[in-house]
Amino acid sequence: MKATSILAVAAIWGASIGAVAVQREAWWALIFAALASAAVGLNFRRSLGLPRVVAIAGVWASAAVVVAGDAGAAWVTVFASLATAATVHSLMRRDDWLAGIAIAFVWAAAALAVTVTEGGAWICVFAFLTGAAGANAASRAGSAAAVLWWALAAFLMILLDGAHWLAVIAFVLGLLRFGTALARLPRRVEWDFRADEDGAFAGKPPRGDARP
């Protein structure tokens, strides 16, 4: 198994076990931690890249904060699991730090708003949708826009002690910036399914061979 896959699984379980230790009633969140781990395990021969690990760690740390604050919000781990699968199996390049940080930031902003305002856990659904869109977009400008809009939305939600509907606006505005890039394959597909941890053969196929 690749080191990045091990790190991702460790981040998932570290966050989920910590949340359940605080809220014992949310034990069933561990089921979705297992499903998320399985999503990572399906690609155990592929190097995920550290940006994906950062994104996954950010998603689960944020979900854990929400669950630790309210056991009734344990359902958020369902979307954390979906976010993990969407990130692992996305078109995101292994060296796309902006996308990885943006996904983690969007979830962190949502978790902060939920925790401070003591409600509105449903905005994590839009954090998931934003992150999934960013992981599959060819435009890096979209990731930067998502960070900007979610930072502003979280600030206003905290300032107004609510107004969680702003998360929907942040999602829509971010999606508009991603644009039609969501429907396109990248110009160069990463041929890294048999790549070594140091990135051999990543980004393009070996010379003389047009297929992976």
Side-chain angles (χ1 to χ4, degrees):
M1 181 177 283
K2 296 292 186 180
T4 47
S5 295
I6 295 174
L7 287 173
V9 171
I12 291 169
W13 283 99
S16 56
I17 290 175
V20 172
V22 176
Q23 296 284 2
R24 299 293 180 85
E25 312 87 72
W27 62 268
W28 57 272
L30 298 178
I31 296 174
F32 293 97
L35 291 176
S37 299
V40 174
L42 289 174
N43 264 12
F44 73 94
R45 291 185 178 179
R46 180 187 181 188
S47 176
L48 298 179
L50 287 177
R52 276 194 176 95
V53 174
V54 168
I56 293 170
V59 167
W60 280 91
S62 301
V65 168
V66 173
V67 175
D70 179 13
W75 59 266
V76 167
T77 57
V78 175
F79 289 92
S81 180
L82 292 174
T84 301
T87 301
V88 170
H89 301 284
S90 68
L91 299 176
M92 177 179 161
R93 295 186 62 84
R94 291 189 303 164
D95 60 351
D96 194 345
W97 282 98
L98 181 56
I101 293 172
I103 293 170
F105 181 88
V106 166
W107 272 83
L112 178 63
V114 170
T115 302
V116 174
T117 61
E118 298 182 348
W122 61 267
I123 67 175
C124 291
V125 176
F126 290 94
F128 153 66
L129 293 174
T130 302
N136 288 285
S139 173
R140 292 192 174 188
S143 296
V147 169
L148 174 63
W149 291 121
W150 274 88
L152 181 60
F155 172 76
L156 291 176
M157 281 186 272
I158 293 172
L159 182 66
L160 301 174
D161 194 24
H164 297 113
W165 54 269
L166 288 169
V168 181
I169 303 299
F171 162 66
V172 172
L173 291 175
L175 195 63
L176 290 175
R177 193 68 181 96
F178 289 132
T180 57
L182 297 176
R184 298 200 309 264
L185 287 173
R187 293 182 180 179
R188 295 192 305 169
V189 177
E190 287 188 64
W191 306 95
D192 64 347
F193 291 97
R194 295 190 302 273
D196 296 328
E197 189 67 16
D198 60 1
F201 304 121
K204 59 182 178 180
R207 289 186 179 181
D209 187 359
R211 297 181 180 180

Short mmCIF file of all heavy atoms in Angstrom, two decimals, residues 12-79:
data_model
loop_
_atom_site.label_atom_id
_atom_site.label_comp_id
_atom_site.label_asym_id
_atom_site.label_seq_id
_atom_site.Cartn_x
_atom_site.Cartn_y
_atom_site.Cartn_z
N ILE A 12 -8.52 9.54 8.56
CA ILE A 12 -9.95 9.22 8.68
C ILE A 12 -10.27 8.63 10.05
O ILE A 12 -11.19 9.08 10.75
CB ILE A 12 -10.37 8.23 7.57
CG1 ILE A 12 -10.31 8.92 6.20
CG2 ILE A 12 -11.77 7.69 7.83
CD1 ILE A 12 -10.46 7.96 5.03
N TRP A 13 -9.50 7.62 10.45
CA TRP A 13 -9.79 6.95 11.71
C TRP A 13 -9.40 7.78 12.92
O TRP A 13 -10.09 7.74 13.95
CB TRP A 13 -9.09 5.59 11.75
CG TRP A 13 -9.82 4.59 10.92
CD1 TRP A 13 -9.51 4.19 9.64
CD2 TRP A 13 -11.02 3.89 11.27
NE1 TRP A 13 -10.44 3.29 9.18
CE2 TRP A 13 -11.37 3.08 10.17
CE3 TRP A 13 -11.81 3.87 12.40
CZ2 TRP A 13 -12.49 2.27 10.17
CZ3 TRP A 13 -12.94 3.06 12.41
CH2 TRP A 13 -13.27 2.27 11.31
N GLY A 14 -8.33 8.54 12.82
CA GLY A 14 -7.95 9.40 13.94
C GLY A 14 -9.03 10.41 14.26
O GLY A 14 -9.40 10.61 15.43
N ALA A 15 -9.60 11.03 13.21
CA ALA A 15 -10.65 12.03 13.41
C ALA A 15 -11.94 11.39 13.89
O ALA A 15 -12.58 11.88 14.84
CB ALA A 15 -10.88 12.79 12.11
N SER A 16 -12.35 10.30 13.26
CA SER A 16 -13.63 9.69 13.61
C SER A 16 -13.61 9.07 15.01
O SER A 16 -14.59 9.19 15.76
CB SER A 16 -14.02 8.63 12.56
OG SER A 16 -13.00 7.67 12.42
N ILE A 17 -12.51 8.43 15.38
CA ILE A 17 -12.42 7.85 16.72
C ILE A 17 -12.42 8.95 17.78
O ILE A 17 -13.05 8.82 18.84
CB ILE A 17 -11.16 6.98 16.85
CG1 ILE A 17 -11.32 5.70 16.01
CG2 ILE A 17 -10.89 6.61 18.32
CD1 ILE A 17 -10.08 4.84 15.97
N GLY A 18 -11.76 10.06 17.48
CA GLY A 18 -11.76 11.19 18.41
C GLY A 18 -13.15 11.74 18.62
O GLY A 18 -13.54 12.06 19.76
N ALA A 19 -13.94 11.84 17.53
CA ALA A 19 -15.30 12.36 17.65
C ALA A 19 -16.18 11.42 18.45
O ALA A 19 -16.97 11.85 19.30
CB ALA A 19 -15.89 12.56 16.25
N VAL A 20 -16.05 10.12 18.20
CA VAL A 20 -16.86 9.13 18.91
C VAL A 20 -16.46 9.06 20.38
O VAL A 20 -17.30 8.79 21.25
CB VAL A 20 -16.74 7.75 18.23
CG1 VAL A 20 -17.42 6.67 19.07
CG2 VAL A 20 -17.35 7.80 16.84
N ALA A 21 -15.20 9.31 20.68
CA ALA A 21 -14.76 9.32 22.08
C ALA A 21 -15.46 10.42 22.86
O ALA A 21 -15.74 10.28 24.06
CB ALA A 21 -13.24 9.51 22.15
N VAL A 22 -15.77 11.53 22.17
CA VAL A 22 -16.47 12.64 22.81
C VAL A 22 -17.97 12.39 22.84
O VAL A 22 -18.64 12.67 23.84
CB VAL A 22 -16.17 13.96 22.07
CG1 VAL A 22 -16.97 15.11 22.66
CG2 VAL A 22 -14.68 14.28 22.13
N GLN A 23 -18.50 11.87 21.74
CA GLN A 23 -19.94 11.61 21.64
C GLN A 23 -20.15 10.12 21.39
O GLN A 23 -20.17 9.66 20.24
CB GLN A 23 -20.55 12.43 20.49
CG GLN A 23 -20.48 13.92 20.68
CD GLN A 23 -21.52 14.42 21.67
OE1 GLN A 23 -22.28 13.65 22.26
NE2 GLN A 23 -21.57 15.73 21.86
N ARG A 24 -20.30 9.35 22.44
CA ARG A 24 -20.42 7.90 22.32
C ARG A 24 -21.64 7.48 21.49
O ARG A 24 -21.64 6.44 20.84
CB ARG A 24 -20.51 7.26 23.71
CG ARG A 24 -19.28 7.50 24.59
CD ARG A 24 -18.06 6.79 24.03
NE ARG A 24 -16.89 7.00 24.86
CZ ARG A 24 -16.57 6.27 25.93
NH1 ARG A 24 -17.38 5.30 26.31
NH2 ARG A 24 -15.48 6.53 26.61
N GLU A 25 -22.71 8.30 21.53
CA GLU A 25 -23.93 7.95 20.79
C GLU A 25 -23.71 7.99 19.28
O GLU A 25 -24.52 7.46 18.52
CB GLU A 25 -25.06 8.90 21.15
CG GLU A 25 -25.28 9.13 22.65
CD GLU A 25 -24.41 10.25 23.17
OE1 GLU A 25 -24.67 11.42 22.88
OE2 GLU A 25 -23.44 9.92 23.89
N ALA A 26 -22.63 8.63 18.87
CA ALA A 26 -22.35 8.76 17.43
C ALA A 26 -21.47 7.63 16.93
O ALA A 26 -20.82 7.74 15.90
CB ALA A 26 -21.68 10.10 17.16
N TRP A 27 -21.47 6.47 17.63
CA TRP A 27 -20.60 5.35 17.27
C TRP A 27 -20.78 4.89 15.84
O TRP A 27 -19.83 4.43 15.19
CB TRP A 27 -20.87 4.17 18.21
CG TRP A 27 -22.27 3.64 18.11
CD1 TRP A 27 -23.34 4.02 18.86
CD2 TRP A 27 -22.75 2.67 17.18
NE1 TRP A 27 -24.47 3.34 18.47
CE2 TRP A 27 -24.15 2.50 17.43
CE3 TRP A 27 -22.17 1.93 16.15
CZ2 TRP A 27 -24.93 1.63 16.68
CZ3 TRP A 27 -22.95 1.06 15.41
CH2 TRP A 27 -24.32 0.91 15.68
N TRP A 28 -22.01 5.02 15.31
CA TRP A 28 -22.26 4.53 13.96
C TRP A 28 -21.55 5.34 12.88
O TRP A 28 -21.48 4.92 11.73
CB TRP A 28 -23.76 4.47 13.69
CG TRP A 28 -24.49 5.77 13.86
CD1 TRP A 28 -25.03 6.27 15.00
CD2 TRP A 28 -24.75 6.74 12.84
NE1 TRP A 28 -25.62 7.48 14.76
CE2 TRP A 28 -25.47 7.79 13.45
CE3 TRP A 28 -24.46 6.82 11.48
CZ2 TRP A 28 -25.89 8.91 12.73
CZ3 TRP A 28 -24.87 7.93 10.76
CH2 TRP A 28 -25.58 8.96 11.39
N ALA A 29 -20.95 6.47 13.29
CA ALA A 29 -20.15 7.24 12.34
C ALA A 29 -18.93 6.43 11.89
O ALA A 29 -18.38 6.65 10.80
CB ALA A 29 -19.69 8.55 12.98
N LEU A 30 -18.52 5.48 12.72
CA LEU A 30 -17.38 4.63 12.39
C LEU A 30 -17.67 3.75 11.18
O LEU A 30 -16.75 3.33 10.48
CB LEU A 30 -16.99 3.75 13.59
CG LEU A 30 -16.55 4.50 14.85
CD1 LEU A 30 -16.25 3.52 15.97
CD2 LEU A 30 -15.31 5.36 14.55
N ILE A 31 -18.94 3.48 10.94
CA ILE A 31 -19.32 2.69 9.75
C ILE A 31 -18.91 3.43 8.49
O ILE A 31 -18.37 2.85 7.54
CB ILE A 31 -20.84 2.41 9.74
CG1 ILE A 31 -21.22 1.56 10.94
CG2 ILE A 31 -21.25 1.74 8.44
CD1 ILE A 31 -22.71 1.34 11.10
N PHE A 32 -19.15 4.74 8.49
CA PHE A 32 -18.83 5.53 7.31
C PHE A 32 -17.33 5.83 7.22
O PHE A 32 -16.80 6.05 6.14
CB PHE A 32 -19.66 6.81 7.30
CG PHE A 32 -21.12 6.51 7.12
CD1 PHE A 32 -21.97 6.43 8.21
CD2 PHE A 32 -21.63 6.24 5.86
CE1 PHE A 32 -23.31 6.09 8.06
CE2 PHE A 32 -22.97 5.91 5.69
CZ PHE A 32 -23.81 5.83 6.78
N ALA A 33 -16.67 5.79 8.37
CA ALA A 33 -15.21 5.88 8.35
C ALA A 33 -14.65 4.64 7.66
O ALA A 33 -13.67 4.71 6.88
CB ALA A 33 -14.66 5.99 9.77
N ALA A 34 -15.26 3.49 7.92
CA ALA A 34 -14.83 2.24 7.28
C ALA A 34 -15.09 2.29 5.77
O ALA A 34 -14.25 1.85 4.97
CB ALA A 34 -15.56 1.05 7.90
N LEU A 35 -16.24 2.85 5.38
CA LEU A 35 -16.55 2.96 3.95
C LEU A 35 -15.57 3.91 3.25
O LEU A 35 -15.14 3.65 2.11
CB LEU A 35 -17.98 3.45 3.77
CG LEU A 35 -19.09 2.47 4.18
CD1 LEU A 35 -20.46 3.12 4.05
CD2 LEU A 35 -19.01 1.21 3.33
N ALA A 36 -15.23 4.99 3.93
CA ALA A 36 -14.27 5.94 3.36
C ALA A 36 -12.90 5.28 3.22
O ALA A 36 -12.19 5.48 2.22
CB ALA A 36 -14.17 7.18 4.25
N SER A 37 -12.53 4.47 4.22
CA SER A 37 -11.25 3.75 4.16
C SER A 37 -11.24 2.77 3.00
O SER A 37 -10.22 2.58 2.33
CB SER A 37 -11.01 3.01 5.47
OG SER A 37 -10.95 3.91 6.56
N ALA A 38 -12.40 2.15 2.74
CA ALA A 38 -12.50 1.22 1.62
C ALA A 38 -12.33 1.95 0.29
O ALA A 38 -11.71 1.45 -0.64
CB ALA A 38 -13.86 0.52 1.65
N ALA A 39 -12.86 3.18 0.22
CA ALA A 39 -12.71 3.97 -1.00
C ALA A 39 -11.24 4.28 -1.27
O ALA A 39 -10.78 4.28 -2.41
CB ALA A 39 -13.51 5.27 -0.88
N VAL A 40 -10.50 4.54 -0.19
CA VAL A 40 -9.06 4.77 -0.33
C VAL A 40 -8.35 3.47 -0.69
O VAL A 40 -7.48 3.43 -1.56
CB VAL A 40 -8.47 5.33 0.98
CG1 VAL A 40 -6.95 5.44 0.88
CG2 VAL A 40 -9.07 6.70 1.29
N GLY A 41 -8.76 2.38 -0.03
CA GLY A 41 -8.12 1.09 -0.25
C GLY A 41 -8.26 0.57 -1.67
O GLY A 41 -7.40 -0.17 -2.15
N LEU A 42 -9.34 0.95 -2.36
CA LEU A 42 -9.53 0.50 -3.73
C LEU A 42 -8.43 1.01 -4.65
O LEU A 42 -8.19 0.45 -5.71
CB LEU A 42 -10.90 0.98 -4.25
CG LEU A 42 -12.13 0.29 -3.64
CD1 LEU A 42 -13.40 0.95 -4.13
CD2 LEU A 42 -12.13 -1.20 -3.98
N ASN A 43 -7.77 2.09 -4.23
CA ASN A 43 -6.69 2.68 -5.02
C ASN A 43 -5.35 2.49 -4.33
O ASN A 43 -4.45 3.32 -4.50
CB ASN A 43 -6.95 4.18 -5.24
CG ASN A 43 -7.62 4.44 -6.59
OD1 ASN A 43 -8.08 3.52 -7.25
ND2 ASN A 43 -7.66 5.68 -6.99
N PHE A 44 -5.20 1.43 -3.54
CA PHE A 44 -4.00 1.29 -2.72
C PHE A 44 -2.72 1.19 -3.55
O PHE A 44 -1.64 1.47 -3.05
CB PHE A 44 -4.12 0.09 -1.79
CG PHE A 44 -4.00 -1.24 -2.48
CD1 PHE A 44 -2.77 -1.87 -2.54
CD2 PHE A 44 -5.10 -1.86 -3.05
CE1 PHE A 44 -2.65 -3.11 -3.18
CE2 PHE A 44 -4.99 -3.09 -3.68
CZ PHE A 44 -3.76 -3.72 -3.75
N ARG A 45 -2.82 0.81 -4.81
CA ARG A 45 -1.62 0.72 -5.65
C ARG A 45 -1.26 2.05 -6.29
O ARG A 45 -0.20 2.18 -6.89
CB ARG A 45 -1.83 -0.33 -6.75
CG ARG A 45 -1.89 -1.76 -6.23
CD ARG A 45 -1.99 -2.74 -7.36
NE ARG A 45 -1.99 -4.12 -6.87
CZ ARG A 45 -2.09 -5.18 -7.66
NH1 ARG A 45 -2.19 -5.02 -8.97
NH2 ARG A 45 -2.09 -6.39 -7.13
N ARG A 46 -2.14 2.99 -6.14
CA ARG A 46 -1.91 4.31 -6.76
C ARG A 46 -1.51 5.32 -5.70
O ARG A 46 -2.11 5.39 -4.63
CB ARG A 46 -3.19 4.78 -7.45
CG ARG A 46 -3.04 6.14 -8.12
CD ARG A 46 -4.39 6.61 -8.65
NE ARG A 46 -4.28 7.90 -9.31
CZ ARG A 46 -5.32 8.61 -9.72
NH1 ARG A 46 -6.54 8.15 -9.53
NH2 ARG A 46 -5.15 9.77 -10.31
N SER A 47 -0.50 6.11 -6.00
CA SER A 47 -0.10 7.17 -5.08
C SER A 47 -1.12 8.30 -5.16
O SER A 47 -1.34 8.88 -6.22
CB SER A 47 1.29 7.70 -5.46
OG SER A 47 1.64 8.78 -4.65
N LEU A 48 -1.78 8.58 -4.04
CA LEU A 48 -2.81 9.61 -4.05
C LEU A 48 -2.25 11.01 -4.22
O LEU A 48 -2.89 11.88 -4.80
CB LEU A 48 -3.60 9.56 -2.73
CG LEU A 48 -4.37 8.27 -2.43
CD1 LEU A 48 -5.06 8.40 -1.08
CD2 LEU A 48 -5.38 7.98 -3.52
N GLY A 49 -1.05 11.23 -3.70
CA GLY A 49 -0.47 12.57 -3.68
C GLY A 49 -0.84 13.27 -2.39
O GLY A 49 -1.96 13.10 -1.88
N LEU A 50 0.07 14.03 -1.85
CA LEU A 50 -0.17 14.70 -0.58
C LEU A 50 -1.34 15.68 -0.61
O LEU A 50 -2.05 15.83 0.40
CB LEU A 50 1.11 15.40 -0.11
CG LEU A 50 2.21 14.46 0.41
CD1 LEU A 50 3.46 15.25 0.77
CD2 LEU A 50 1.71 13.67 1.62
N PRO A 51 -1.59 16.40 -1.72
CA PRO A 51 -2.76 17.29 -1.74
C PRO A 51 -4.07 16.56 -1.46
O PRO A 51 -4.95 17.08 -0.77
CB PRO A 51 -2.73 17.88 -3.15
CG PRO A 51 -1.28 17.89 -3.50
CD PRO A 51 -0.75 16.61 -2.93
N ARG A 52 -4.22 15.34 -2.00
CA ARG A 52 -5.43 14.56 -1.71
C ARG A 52 -5.48 14.17 -0.23
O ARG A 52 -6.54 14.15 0.38
CB ARG A 52 -5.46 13.30 -2.57
CG ARG A 52 -6.03 13.50 -3.97
CD ARG A 52 -6.33 12.15 -4.60
NE ARG A 52 -6.96 12.29 -5.90
CZ ARG A 52 -6.30 12.27 -7.06
NH1 ARG A 52 -4.99 12.13 -7.06
NH2 ARG A 52 -6.95 12.39 -8.20
N VAL A 53 -4.32 13.84 0.34
CA VAL A 53 -4.28 13.49 1.77
C VAL A 53 -4.71 14.69 2.61
O VAL A 53 -5.47 14.55 3.57
CB VAL A 53 -2.87 13.03 2.18
CG1 VAL A 53 -2.79 12.80 3.69
CG2 VAL A 53 -2.48 11.75 1.43
N VAL A 54 -4.23 15.88 2.26
CA VAL A 54 -4.60 17.10 2.97
C VAL A 54 -6.11 17.32 2.87
O VAL A 54 -6.77 17.67 3.87
CB VAL A 54 -3.84 18.32 2.40
CG1 VAL A 54 -4.42 19.63 2.94
CG2 VAL A 54 -2.36 18.22 2.74
N ALA A 55 -6.65 17.12 1.68
CA ALA A 55 -8.09 17.31 1.48
C ALA A 55 -8.89 16.34 2.35
O ALA A 55 -9.84 16.72 3.05
CB ALA A 55 -8.44 17.12 0.01
N ILE A 56 -8.52 15.06 2.32
CA ILE A 56 -9.23 14.03 3.09
C ILE A 56 -9.11 14.29 4.59
O ILE A 56 -10.09 14.18 5.34
CB ILE A 56 -8.71 12.63 2.73
CG1 ILE A 56 -9.07 12.30 1.28
CG2 ILE A 56 -9.27 11.58 3.68
CD1 ILE A 56 -8.40 11.07 0.73
N ALA A 57 -7.91 14.64 5.03
CA ALA A 57 -7.70 14.93 6.45
C ALA A 57 -8.54 16.13 6.87
O ALA A 57 -9.14 16.13 7.96
CB ALA A 57 -6.22 15.21 6.72
N GLY A 58 -8.62 17.15 6.02
CA GLY A 58 -9.42 18.33 6.33
C GLY A 58 -10.90 18.01 6.41
O GLY A 58 -11.61 18.51 7.30
N VAL A 59 -11.36 17.17 5.50
CA VAL A 59 -12.77 16.77 5.50
C VAL A 59 -13.14 16.05 6.79
O VAL A 59 -14.13 16.39 7.46
CB VAL A 59 -13.07 15.85 4.29
CG1 VAL A 59 -14.43 15.17 4.45
CG2 VAL A 59 -13.03 16.65 3.00
N TRP A 60 -12.32 15.07 7.19
CA TRP A 60 -12.66 14.28 8.37
C TRP A 60 -12.42 15.01 9.68
O TRP A 60 -13.15 14.81 10.65
CB TRP A 60 -11.93 12.94 8.32
CG TRP A 60 -12.65 11.99 7.42
CD1 TRP A 60 -12.43 11.81 6.08
CD2 TRP A 60 -13.76 11.16 7.75
NE1 TRP A 60 -13.33 10.91 5.56
CE2 TRP A 60 -14.15 10.49 6.57
CE3 TRP A 60 -14.45 10.90 8.93
CZ2 TRP A 60 -15.22 9.59 6.54
CZ3 TRP A 60 -15.52 10.00 8.91
CH2 TRP A 60 -15.89 9.36 7.72
N ALA A 61 -11.42 15.86 9.71
CA ALA A 61 -11.20 16.66 10.92
C ALA A 61 -12.39 17.60 11.13
O ALA A 61 -12.87 17.78 12.26
CB ALA A 61 -9.90 17.45 10.80
N SER A 62 -12.87 18.19 10.04
CA SER A 62 -14.02 19.09 10.13
C SER A 62 -15.28 18.35 10.53
O SER A 62 -16.06 18.81 11.38
CB SER A 62 -14.23 19.79 8.78
OG SER A 62 -13.07 20.52 8.40
N ALA A 63 -15.50 17.18 9.92
CA ALA A 63 -16.67 16.39 10.27
C ALA A 63 -16.61 15.97 11.74
O ALA A 63 -17.64 15.95 12.44
CB ALA A 63 -16.75 15.15 9.37
N ALA A 64 -15.41 15.64 12.22
CA ALA A 64 -15.24 15.23 13.62
C ALA A 64 -15.59 16.36 14.57
O ALA A 64 -16.20 16.14 15.62
CB ALA A 64 -13.81 14.78 13.86
N VAL A 65 -15.23 17.59 14.21
CA VAL A 65 -15.56 18.75 15.04
C VAL A 65 -17.07 18.93 15.13
O VAL A 65 -17.62 19.19 16.21
CB VAL A 65 -14.91 20.03 14.46
CG1 VAL A 65 -15.46 21.28 15.14
CG2 VAL A 65 -13.39 19.97 14.61
N VAL A 66 -17.75 18.75 14.01
CA VAL A 66 -19.21 18.89 13.99
C VAL A 66 -19.86 17.81 14.85
O VAL A 66 -20.76 18.08 15.65
CB VAL A 66 -19.75 18.81 12.54
CG1 VAL A 66 -21.27 18.79 12.53
CG2 VAL A 66 -19.24 20.01 11.73
N VAL A 67 -19.41 16.56 14.69
CA VAL A 67 -19.98 15.44 15.44
C VAL A 67 -19.68 15.58 16.94
O VAL A 67 -20.54 15.30 17.79
CB VAL A 67 -19.45 14.11 14.91
CG1 VAL A 67 -19.93 12.95 15.77
CG2 VAL A 67 -19.89 13.91 13.46
N ALA A 68 -18.47 16.00 17.26
CA ALA A 68 -18.10 16.17 18.67
C ALA A 68 -18.97 17.22 19.35
O ALA A 68 -19.23 17.14 20.55
CB ALA A 68 -16.63 16.56 18.79
N GLY A 69 -19.43 18.18 18.60
CA GLY A 69 -20.29 19.23 19.16
C GLY A 69 -21.75 18.82 19.26
O GLY A 69 -22.49 19.38 20.07
N ASP A 70 -22.16 17.85 18.44
CA ASP A 70 -23.56 17.42 18.44
C ASP A 70 -23.65 16.01 17.89
O ASP A 70 -23.44 15.77 16.70
CB ASP A 70 -24.39 18.37 17.57
CG ASP A 70 -25.86 17.98 17.49
OD1 ASP A 70 -26.29 17.12 18.30
OD2 ASP A 70 -26.58 18.52 16.64
N ALA A 71 -23.98 15.05 18.75
CA ALA A 71 -24.07 13.65 18.33
C ALA A 71 -25.14 13.46 17.26
O ALA A 71 -25.04 12.56 16.42
CB ALA A 71 -24.38 12.76 19.53
N GLY A 72 -26.15 14.31 17.29
CA GLY A 72 -27.22 14.22 16.29
C GLY A 72 -26.76 14.57 14.89
O GLY A 72 -27.48 14.30 13.92
N ALA A 73 -25.57 15.17 14.77
CA ALA A 73 -25.05 15.54 13.46
C ALA A 73 -24.10 14.49 12.91
O ALA A 73 -23.36 14.75 11.97
CB ALA A 73 -24.33 16.89 13.56
N ALA A 74 -24.14 13.28 13.48
CA ALA A 74 -23.25 12.21 13.03
C ALA A 74 -23.48 11.86 11.56
O ALA A 74 -22.59 11.31 10.90
CB ALA A 74 -23.43 10.98 13.90
N TRP A 75 -24.65 12.19 11.04
CA TRP A 75 -24.94 11.91 9.63
C TRP A 75 -24.00 12.67 8.70
O TRP A 75 -23.88 12.31 7.51
CB TRP A 75 -26.39 12.28 9.31
CG TRP A 75 -26.73 13.72 9.57
CD1 TRP A 75 -27.27 14.23 10.71
CD2 TRP A 75 -26.52 14.83 8.70
NE1 TRP A 75 -27.42 15.59 10.60
CE2 TRP A 75 -26.97 15.98 9.37
CE3 TRP A 75 -26.01 14.96 7.41
CZ2 TRP A 75 -26.91 17.25 8.80
CZ3 TRP A 75 -25.95 16.22 6.82
CH2 TRP A 75 -26.40 17.34 7.52
N VAL A 76 -23.32 13.68 9.21
CA VAL A 76 -22.36 14.44 8.40
C VAL A 76 -21.26 13.52 7.88
O VAL A 76 -20.69 13.74 6.81
CB VAL A 76 -21.76 15.60 9.23
CG1 VAL A 76 -20.54 16.20 8.54
CG2 VAL A 76 -22.82 16.67 9.45
N THR A 77 -20.96 12.45 8.63
CA THR A 77 -19.92 11.52 8.20
C THR A 77 -20.31 10.78 6.92
O THR A 77 -19.44 10.25 6.22
CB THR A 77 -19.58 10.50 9.30
OG1 THR A 77 -20.77 9.79 9.68
CG2 THR A 77 -19.01 11.20 10.53
N VAL A 78 -21.60 10.73 6.63
CA VAL A 78 -22.04 10.14 5.37
C VAL A 78 -21.46 10.95 4.21
O VAL A 78 -20.91 10.40 3.24
CB VAL A 78 -23.59 10.13 5.27
CG1 VAL A 78 -24.03 9.62 3.90
CG2 VAL A 78 -24.19 9.29 6.38
N PHE A 79 -21.54 12.26 4.33
CA PHE A 79 -21.04 13.13 3.28
C PHE A 79 -19.52 13.24 3.32
O PHE A 79 -18.88 13.48 2.30
CB PHE A 79 -21.70 14.50 3.36
CG PHE A 79 -23.15 14.45 2.96
CD1 PHE A 79 -24.14 14.25 3.91
CD2 PHE A 79 -23.52 14.55 1.63
CE1 PHE A 79 -25.47 14.16 3.54
CE2 PHE A 79 -24.84 14.46 1.25
CZ PHE A 79 -25.83 14.25 2.21
#
